[in-house]
Amino acid sequence: MTVMETLTEAADNGTDICSVPPGRHPRPDGQDSYTISEVVAFTGLTAHTLRWYERIGLMPHVDRSHTGQRRYCNADLDWLDLVGKLRLTGMPVADMVRYAELVRAGDHTYGERYELLEATRRDVLARIAELRDTLAVLDRKIDFYGDAGRALASERPR
Amino acid sequence: MTVMETLTEAADNGTDICSVPPGRHPRPDGQDSYTISEVVAFTGLTAHTLRWYERIGLMPHVDRSHTGQRRYCNADLDWLDLVGKLRLTGMPVADMVRYAELVRAGDHTYGERYELLEATRRDVLARIAELRDTLAVLDRKIDFYGDAGRALASERPR
DNA sequence: TAAAACCTTGGAGTGCACTCCAGGCAAGCG
DNA sequence: CGCTTGCCTGGAGTGCACTCCAAGGTTTTA
Protein backbone atom coordinates (compact mmCIF):
# COMPACT_ATOMS: atom_id res chain seq x y z
CA MET A 1 0.00 0.00 0.00
CA THR A 2 1.45 3.37 -0.92
CA VAL A 3 1.63 6.31 1.42
CA MET A 4 -0.78 8.10 -0.87
CA GLU A 5 -3.38 5.42 -0.36
CA THR A 6 -2.80 5.24 3.37
CA LEU A 7 -3.50 8.93 3.62
CA THR A 8 -6.52 8.85 1.39
CA GLU A 9 -7.94 6.02 3.40
CA ALA A 10 -7.34 7.77 6.68
CA ALA A 11 -9.06 10.88 5.38
CA ASP A 12 -11.99 8.96 3.95
CA ASN A 13 -12.56 6.99 7.12
CA GLY A 14 -12.79 10.10 9.31
CA THR A 15 -16.16 11.77 9.63
CA ASP A 16 -14.67 15.16 8.82
CA ILE A 17 -11.51 15.76 6.85
CA CYS A 18 -11.18 19.13 8.55
CA SER A 19 -11.45 17.88 12.10
CA VAL A 20 -7.67 17.86 12.16
CA PRO A 21 -5.74 20.67 10.42
CA PRO A 22 -4.59 19.43 6.98
CA GLY A 23 -1.34 17.50 7.21
CA ARG A 24 -1.03 17.19 10.98
CA HIS A 25 -0.06 14.30 13.31
CA PRO A 26 -2.53 11.58 13.69
CA ARG A 27 0.55 9.39 14.38
CA PRO A 28 -1.47 6.21 14.10
CA ASP A 29 0.91 3.30 14.66
CA GLY A 30 2.12 1.50 17.72
CA GLN A 31 5.35 1.40 15.75
CA ASP A 32 8.63 3.23 15.98
CA SER A 33 9.87 3.49 12.41
CA TYR A 34 8.55 5.85 9.77
CA THR A 35 9.59 6.76 6.24
CA ILE A 36 10.18 10.37 5.37
CA SER A 37 6.84 10.62 3.60
CA GLU A 38 5.03 9.37 6.68
CA VAL A 39 6.77 12.05 8.70
CA VAL A 40 5.72 14.56 6.08
CA ALA A 41 2.13 13.43 6.63
CA PHE A 42 2.42 13.68 10.41
CA THR A 43 4.20 17.01 10.64
CA GLY A 44 3.04 18.98 7.63
CA LEU A 45 6.67 19.73 6.81
CA THR A 46 8.02 18.85 3.37
CA ALA A 47 10.60 16.12 2.82
CA HIS A 48 12.94 18.84 1.60
CA THR A 49 12.58 20.65 4.87
CA LEU A 50 13.12 17.50 6.91
CA ARG A 51 16.38 16.79 5.09
CA TRP A 52 17.38 20.40 5.41
CA TYR A 53 16.73 20.35 9.18
CA GLU A 54 19.09 17.40 9.37
CA ARG A 55 21.78 19.13 7.30
CA ILE A 56 21.79 22.22 9.49
CA GLY A 57 21.87 20.23 12.71
CA LEU A 58 18.31 20.87 13.83
CA MET A 59 17.61 17.13 13.76
CA PRO A 60 19.83 14.47 15.29
CA HIS A 61 21.19 12.01 12.78
CA VAL A 62 18.15 9.94 11.89
CA ASP A 63 18.40 6.15 11.63
CA ARG A 64 18.76 4.66 8.16
CA SER A 65 17.50 1.47 6.59
CA HIS A 66 20.17 -0.95 5.32
CA THR A 67 19.95 0.82 1.95
CA GLY A 68 20.38 4.28 3.39
CA GLN A 69 16.80 5.53 3.53
CA ARG A 70 15.73 7.53 6.55
CA ARG A 71 13.72 5.79 9.24
CA TYR A 72 12.33 8.20 11.83
CA CYS A 73 11.43 7.03 15.34
CA ASN A 74 8.78 8.37 17.73
CA ALA A 75 11.36 10.39 19.62
CA ASP A 76 12.21 12.10 16.32
CA LEU A 77 8.55 12.99 15.89
CA ASP A 78 8.44 14.34 19.44
CA TRP A 79 11.45 16.48 18.67
CA LEU A 80 9.81 17.73 15.49
CA ASP A 81 6.71 18.59 17.51
CA LEU A 82 8.80 20.76 19.78
CA VAL A 83 10.57 22.34 16.83
CA GLY A 84 7.19 23.07 15.29
CA LYS A 85 6.01 24.78 18.44
CA LEU A 86 9.17 26.82 18.76
CA ARG A 87 8.96 27.72 15.08
CA LEU A 88 5.59 29.31 15.49
CA THR A 89 6.80 31.44 18.33
CA GLY A 90 8.99 33.05 15.68
CA MET A 91 12.21 31.67 17.16
CA PRO A 92 14.92 31.76 14.48
CA VAL A 93 16.07 28.38 13.24
CA ALA A 94 19.60 29.24 14.33
CA ASP A 95 18.41 29.46 17.96
CA MET A 96 16.70 26.12 17.70
CA VAL A 97 19.91 24.66 16.34
CA ARG A 98 21.66 26.14 19.35
CA TYR A 99 19.19 24.39 21.62
CA ALA A 100 19.64 21.11 19.75
CA GLU A 101 23.40 21.45 20.22
CA LEU A 102 22.91 21.94 23.95
CA VAL A 103 20.77 18.82 24.16
CA ARG A 104 23.36 16.87 22.19
CA ALA A 105 26.15 18.21 24.38
CA GLY A 106 24.86 16.45 27.48
CA ASP A 107 23.50 17.05 30.95
CA HIS A 108 25.93 19.78 31.91
CA THR A 109 24.03 22.15 29.62
CA TYR A 110 20.85 22.05 31.71
CA GLY A 111 21.42 25.59 32.95
CA GLU A 112 21.83 27.04 29.50
CA ARG A 113 18.81 25.17 28.18
CA TYR A 114 16.77 26.48 31.06
CA GLU A 115 17.85 30.03 30.26
CA LEU A 116 17.03 29.62 26.61
CA LEU A 117 13.58 28.24 27.33
CA GLU A 118 12.90 30.94 29.91
CA ALA A 119 13.87 33.63 27.43
CA THR A 120 11.62 32.03 24.84
CA ARG A 121 8.80 31.90 27.34
CA ARG A 122 9.15 35.60 27.98
CA ASP A 123 9.10 36.23 24.23
CA VAL A 124 5.94 34.20 23.87
CA LEU A 125 4.22 36.09 26.66
CA ALA A 126 5.25 39.37 25.10
CA ARG A 127 4.00 38.27 21.70
CA ILE A 128 0.68 37.19 23.15
CA ALA A 129 0.33 40.62 24.73
CA GLU A 130 1.13 42.29 21.41
CA LEU A 131 -1.43 40.17 19.66
CA ARG A 132 -4.07 41.03 22.22
CA ASP A 133 -3.29 44.67 21.62
CA THR A 134 -3.64 44.17 17.91
CA LEU A 135 -6.88 42.32 18.48
CA ALA A 136 -8.27 45.35 20.30
CA VAL A 137 -7.36 47.56 17.35
CA LEU A 138 -8.92 45.13 14.91
CA ASP A 139 -12.09 44.93 16.97
CA ARG A 140 -12.42 48.69 16.97
CA LYS A 141 -12.00 48.82 13.21
CA ILE A 142 -14.35 45.92 12.67
CA ASP A 143 -16.97 47.64 14.78
CA PHE A 144 -16.46 50.74 12.74
CA TYR A 145 -17.02 48.94 9.45
CA GLY A 146 -19.80 46.80 10.84
CA ASP A 147 -21.96 49.33 12.72
CA ALA A 148 -21.29 52.84 11.58
CA GLY A 149 -20.28 51.44 8.23
CA ARG A 150 -21.69 54.45 6.49
CA ALA A 151 -19.71 57.23 8.20
CA LEU A 152 -16.73 58.46 6.21
CA ALA A 153 -13.51 56.63 6.90
CA SER A 154 -10.74 58.55 8.55
CA GLU A 155 -8.01 56.18 7.47
CA ARG A 156 -4.95 57.44 5.72
CA PRO A 157 -4.62 56.18 2.15
CA ARG A 158 -6.63 58.71 0.16
CA MET B 1 18.85 71.52 16.62
CA THR B 2 19.43 68.22 14.91
CA VAL B 3 17.23 65.19 15.25
CA MET B 4 20.12 63.43 16.96
CA GLU B 5 20.16 66.07 19.63
CA THR B 6 16.42 66.04 20.09
CA LEU B 7 16.50 62.31 20.67
CA THR B 8 19.43 62.42 23.04
CA GLU B 9 17.76 65.13 25.02
CA ALA B 10 14.50 63.24 25.22
CA ALA B 11 16.31 60.14 26.43
CA ASP B 12 18.37 62.05 28.97
CA ASN B 13 15.38 63.85 30.40
CA GLY B 14 13.43 60.67 31.05
CA THR B 15 14.03 58.80 34.28
CA ASP B 16 14.51 55.50 32.50
CA ILE B 17 15.60 55.04 28.93
CA CYS B 18 13.94 51.63 28.92
CA SER B 19 10.56 52.82 30.16
CA VAL B 20 9.51 52.87 26.53
CA PRO B 21 10.78 50.17 24.14
CA PRO B 22 13.75 51.57 22.22
CA GLY B 23 12.65 53.61 19.23
CA ARG B 24 8.90 53.74 19.83
CA HIS B 25 6.27 56.48 19.55
CA PRO B 26 6.39 59.19 22.07
CA ARG B 27 4.91 61.44 19.33
CA PRO B 28 5.53 64.58 21.36
CA ASP B 29 4.33 67.53 19.31
CA GLY B 30 1.04 69.24 18.85
CA GLN B 31 2.23 69.50 15.26
CA ASP B 32 1.29 67.75 12.06
CA SER B 33 4.49 67.63 10.02
CA TYR B 34 7.42 65.33 10.63
CA THR B 35 10.64 64.59 8.79
CA ILE B 36 11.47 61.04 7.88
CA SER B 37 13.98 60.78 10.70
CA GLU B 38 11.37 61.85 13.22
CA VAL B 39 9.07 59.15 11.91
CA VAL B 40 11.96 56.72 12.25
CA ALA B 41 12.20 57.72 15.89
CA PHE B 42 8.47 57.34 16.47
CA THR B 43 7.93 54.06 14.68
CA GLY B 44 11.19 52.16 15.05
CA LEU B 45 11.19 51.54 11.30
CA THR B 46 14.19 52.57 9.23
CA ALA B 47 14.07 55.37 6.68
CA HIS B 48 14.79 52.76 4.04
CA THR B 49 11.73 50.82 5.09
CA LEU B 50 9.53 53.92 5.13
CA ARG B 51 10.55 54.78 1.58
CA TRP B 52 10.10 51.18 0.55
CA TYR B 53 6.58 51.09 2.04
CA GLU B 54 5.77 54.07 -0.13
CA ARG B 55 7.24 52.50 -3.27
CA ILE B 56 5.19 49.34 -2.89
CA GLY B 57 1.98 51.24 -2.17
CA LEU B 58 1.71 50.45 1.53
CA MET B 59 1.83 54.18 2.32
CA PRO B 60 -0.26 56.82 0.60
CA HIS B 61 1.80 59.42 -1.21
CA VAL B 62 3.28 61.43 1.61
CA ASP B 63 3.38 65.23 1.47
CA ARG B 64 6.63 66.85 0.39
CA SER B 65 8.38 70.04 1.39
CA HIS B 66 9.00 72.61 -1.37
CA THR B 67 12.37 70.94 -1.93
CA GLY B 68 10.91 67.46 -2.23
CA GLN B 69 11.59 66.09 1.22
CA ARG B 70 8.93 63.95 2.88
CA ARG B 71 6.73 65.56 5.50
CA TYR B 72 4.63 63.01 7.35
CA CYS B 73 1.38 64.05 9.07
CA ASN B 74 -0.29 62.55 12.13
CA ALA B 75 -2.66 60.53 9.98
CA ASP B 76 0.41 58.99 8.35
CA LEU B 77 1.69 58.02 11.76
CA ASP B 78 -1.70 56.53 12.64
CA TRP B 79 -1.56 54.50 9.47
CA LEU B 80 1.96 53.33 10.30
CA ASP B 81 0.71 52.30 13.73
CA LEU B 82 -1.92 50.12 12.15
CA VAL B 83 0.60 48.69 9.71
CA GLY B 84 2.90 47.93 12.60
CA LYS B 85 0.15 46.08 14.42
CA LEU B 86 -0.82 44.11 11.35
CA ARG B 87 2.82 43.36 10.68
CA LEU B 88 3.24 41.66 14.01
CA THR B 89 0.27 39.45 13.39
CA GLY B 90 2.40 37.99 10.61
CA MET B 91 0.19 39.40 7.88
CA PRO B 92 2.16 39.48 4.62
CA VAL B 93 3.02 42.91 3.32
CA ALA B 94 1.17 42.11 0.11
CA ASP B 95 -2.08 41.74 2.07
CA MET B 96 -1.52 45.04 3.80
CA VAL B 97 -0.98 46.64 0.42
CA ARG B 98 -4.28 45.12 -0.66
CA TYR B 99 -5.98 46.73 2.33
CA ALA B 100 -4.34 50.07 1.58
CA GLU B 101 -5.64 49.82 -1.98
CA LEU B 102 -9.15 49.20 -0.68
CA VAL B 103 -8.95 52.25 1.55
CA ARG B 104 -7.68 54.35 -1.35
CA ALA B 105 -10.41 53.01 -3.61
CA GLY B 106 -13.18 54.62 -1.58
CA ASP B 107 -16.22 53.89 0.51
CA HIS B 108 -17.64 51.19 -1.73
CA THR B 109 -14.92 48.83 -0.49
CA TYR B 110 -16.23 48.78 3.08
CA GLY B 111 -17.47 45.24 2.70
CA GLU B 112 -14.18 43.91 1.46
CA ARG B 113 -12.26 45.73 4.16
CA TYR B 114 -14.55 44.26 6.76
CA GLU B 115 -13.94 40.77 5.38
CA LEU B 116 -10.20 41.29 5.37
CA LEU B 117 -10.15 42.55 8.94
CA GLU B 118 -12.43 39.73 10.10
CA ALA B 119 -10.16 37.15 8.49
CA THR B 120 -7.18 38.78 10.15
CA ARG B 121 -8.96 38.75 13.47
CA ARG B 122 -9.57 35.04 13.14
CA ASP B 123 -5.89 34.54 12.30
CA VAL B 124 -4.87 36.49 15.37
CA LEU B 125 -7.13 34.46 17.61
CA ALA B 126 -5.76 31.26 16.14
CA ARG B 127 -2.20 32.45 16.61
CA ILE B 128 -2.87 33.37 20.23
CA ALA B 129 -4.24 29.89 20.79
CA GLU B 130 -1.14 28.37 19.19
CA LEU B 131 1.09 30.49 21.36
CA ARG B 132 -0.78 29.45 24.48
CA ASP B 133 -0.27 25.86 23.45
CA THR B 134 3.40 26.47 22.98
CA LEU B 135 3.53 28.22 26.32
CA ALA B 136 2.17 25.10 27.98
CA VAL B 137 4.90 23.01 26.36
CA LEU B 138 7.56 25.49 27.40
CA ASP B 139 6.26 25.54 30.96
CA ARG B 140 6.45 21.77 31.16
CA LYS B 141 10.02 21.78 29.90
CA ILE B 142 11.01 24.64 32.14
CA ASP B 143 9.60 22.79 35.14
CA PHE B 144 11.58 19.78 34.08
CA TYR B 145 14.83 21.68 33.92
CA GLY B 146 14.08 23.74 36.99
CA ASP B 147 12.82 21.14 39.49
CA ALA B 148 13.85 17.66 38.51
CA GLY B 149 16.85 19.12 36.73
CA ARG B 150 18.91 16.11 37.63
CA ALA B 151 16.87 13.35 36.00
CA LEU B 152 18.17 12.27 32.61
CA ALA B 153 16.73 14.17 29.70
CA SER B 154 14.55 12.25 27.30
CA GLU B 155 14.94 14.72 24.48
CA ARG B 156 15.94 13.61 21.04
CA PRO B 157 19.32 14.99 19.94
CA ARG B 158 21.80 12.50 21.36
C1' DT C 1 9.41 -8.41 -13.96
C1' DA C 2 8.21 -4.02 -15.25
C1' DA C 3 6.12 0.15 -14.12
C1' DA C 4 5.02 3.40 -10.63
C1' DA C 5 5.98 5.43 -6.47
C1' DC C 6 9.45 6.52 -3.39
C1' DC C 7 13.97 7.69 -1.74
C1' DT C 8 18.95 9.61 -2.11
C1' DT C 9 22.48 13.59 -2.78
C1' DG C 10 24.72 18.33 -3.46
C1' DG C 11 23.88 22.40 -5.03
C1' DA C 12 21.19 25.97 -7.14
C1' DG C 13 16.95 28.80 -6.98
C1' DT C 14 12.94 31.32 -4.76
C1' DG C 15 10.19 34.67 -2.18
C1' DC C 16 9.87 37.76 1.34
C1' DA C 17 11.04 41.79 3.77
C1' DC C 18 13.94 44.47 4.10
C1' DT C 19 18.84 46.80 3.74
C1' DC C 20 22.37 49.09 1.63
C1' DC C 21 24.88 51.83 -1.92
C1' DA C 22 26.35 55.48 -5.03
C1' DG C 23 25.87 59.82 -6.35
C1' DG C 24 23.83 63.94 -5.61
C1' DC C 25 20.76 67.92 -3.71
C1' DA C 26 19.40 70.76 0.53
C1' DA C 27 19.50 73.02 5.03
C1' DG C 28 21.40 74.90 9.04
C1' DC C 29 25.39 76.15 12.03
C1' DG C 30 29.94 78.78 12.95
C1' DC D 1 31.21 80.08 2.68
C1' DG D 2 32.10 75.68 3.79
C1' DC D 3 31.16 71.77 6.60
C1' DT D 4 28.29 68.54 8.64
C1' DT D 5 24.08 66.40 8.68
C1' DG D 6 20.06 65.03 6.45
C1' DC D 7 17.42 63.72 2.61
C1' DC D 8 16.65 62.11 -2.32
C1' DT D 9 16.55 58.23 -6.13
C1' DG D 10 16.87 53.66 -8.59
C1' DG D 11 18.75 49.61 -8.27
C1' DA D 12 21.52 46.07 -6.28
C1' DG D 13 22.44 43.12 -2.23
C1' DT D 14 21.31 40.43 2.13
C1' DG D 15 19.52 36.93 5.27
C1' DC D 16 16.26 33.74 6.30
C1' DA D 17 13.75 29.66 5.56
C1' DC D 18 12.80 27.03 2.72
C1' DT D 19 12.11 24.86 -2.20
C1' DC D 20 13.39 22.72 -6.22
C1' DC D 21 16.34 20.18 -9.59
C1' DA D 22 18.92 16.55 -11.90
C1' DA D 23 20.39 12.18 -11.90
C1' DG D 24 20.14 8.11 -10.09
C1' DG D 25 19.14 4.03 -6.66
C1' DT D 26 15.11 1.34 -4.05
C1' DT D 27 10.63 -0.53 -2.93
C1' DT D 28 6.05 -1.71 -3.83
C1' DT D 29 2.26 -2.98 -6.61
C1' DA D 30 0.07 -5.21 -10.74
Side-chain angles (χ1 to χ4, degrees):
Chain A
M1 201 202 295
T2 66
V3 167
M4 226 59 205
E5 282 159 5
T6 310
L7 282 179
T8 307
E9 188 189 304
D12 287 353
N13 281 350
T15 48
D16 181 3
I17 292 173
C18 293
S19 60
V20 155
R24 276 288 147 62
H25 312 187
R27 206 190 296 188
D29 294 358
Q31 258 221 102
D32 200 25
S33 175
Y34 311 90
T35 66
I36 199 167
S37 66
E38 285 170 322
V39 177
V40 164
F42 299 159
T43 63
L45 298 168
T46 71
H48 296 302
T49 301
L50 286 168
R51 295 191 197 106
W52 179 67
Y53 277 3
E54 220 175 310
R55 271 215 295 259
I56 64 172
L58 184 51
M59 279 295 291
H61 286 302
V62 172
D63 283 352
R64 300 295 180 117
S65 73
H66 67 107
T67 54
Q69 298 195 348
R70 287 172 183 79
R71 293 294 176 256
Y72 293 82
C73 65
N74 280 310
D76 290 326
L77 292 184
D78 291 342
W79 175 252
L80 285 171
D81 273 355
L82 175 63
V83 166
K85 293 257 181 267
L86 293 180
R87 204 167 50 111
L88 49 84
T89 69
M91 181 187 272
V93 165
D95 290 4
M96 293 190 265
V97 170
R98 172 88 190 118
Y99 183 75
E101 280 164 359
L102 290 177
V103 175
R104 263 198 298 278
D107 298 355
H108 65 282
T109 63
Y110 271 32
E112 261 183 283
R113 291 186 226 170
Y114 179 87
E115 288 306 323
L116 210 153
L117 293 177
E118 255 302 340
T120 305
R121 197 187 111 94
R122 282 191 295 273
D123 285 358
V124 172
L125 285 173
R127 174 154 281 114
I128 288 175
E130 283 174 344
L131 286 178
R132 258 204 247 297
D133 230 54
T134 301
L135 201 60
V137 172
L138 284 176
D139 283 345
R140 264 195 287 113
K141 286 213 166 278
I142 286 171
D143 277 4
F144 170 77
Y145 284 122
D147 305 355
R150 213 63 348 211
L152 271 182
S154 64
E155 295 184 285
R156 194 61 245 287
R158 274 155 314 178
Chain B
M1 201 201 293
T2 67
V3 167
M4 225 58 205
E5 282 159 5
T6 310
L7 281 178
T8 309
E9 189 189 304
D12 287 352
N13 281 351
T15 48
D16 182 3
I17 291 173
C18 293
S19 59
V20 156
R24 278 287 147 64
H25 316 182
R27 206 190 296 187
D29 295 359
Q31 258 221 102
D32 201 24
S33 174
Y34 311 91
T35 66
I36 199 167
S37 66
E38 285 170 321
V39 177
V40 164
F42 298 160
T43 62
L45 299 169
T46 70
H48 295 302
T49 301
L50 287 168
R51 294 191 198 105
W52 179 67
Y53 277 3
E54 220 176 310
R55 271 216 294 261
I56 64 173
L58 184 50
M59 278 295 290
H61 287 302
V62 172
D63 282 353
R64 300 296 179 116
S65 72
H66 67 105
T67 55
Q69 298 196 350
R70 286 171 183 80
R71 293 295 178 255
Y72 292 83
C73 65
N74 280 310
D76 290 327
L77 293 183
D78 290 344
W79 176 252
L80 284 171
D81 273 355
L82 175 63
V83 166
K85 293 259 180 264
L86 293 180
R87 203 167 51 111
L88 50 84
T89 67
M91 181 189 273
V93 166
D95 290 5
M96 292 192 267
V97 170
R98 171 89 190 117
Y99 183 75
E101 281 165 356
L102 291 177
V103 175
R104 263 198 297 279
D107 298 355
H108 65 283
T109 63
Y110 271 31
E112 262 184 282
R113 291 187 226 169
Y114 180 87
E115 286 308 320
L116 211 152
L117 292 177
E118 254 303 341
T120 305
R121 197 187 111 94
R122 282 192 295 273
D123 284 357
V124 171
L125 285 173
R127 172 153 282 115
I128 287 175
E130 285 175 343
L131 286 178
R132 258 205 248 294
D133 230 53
T134 301
L135 201 60
V137 172
L138 284 176
D139 283 345
R140 266 195 286 113
K141 287 214 165 277
I142 286 170
D143 277 3
F144 170 78
Y145 283 122
D147 305 354
R150 214 70 338 222
L152 271 184
S154 63
E155 294 183 285
R156 193 61 244 285
R158 274 156 314 182

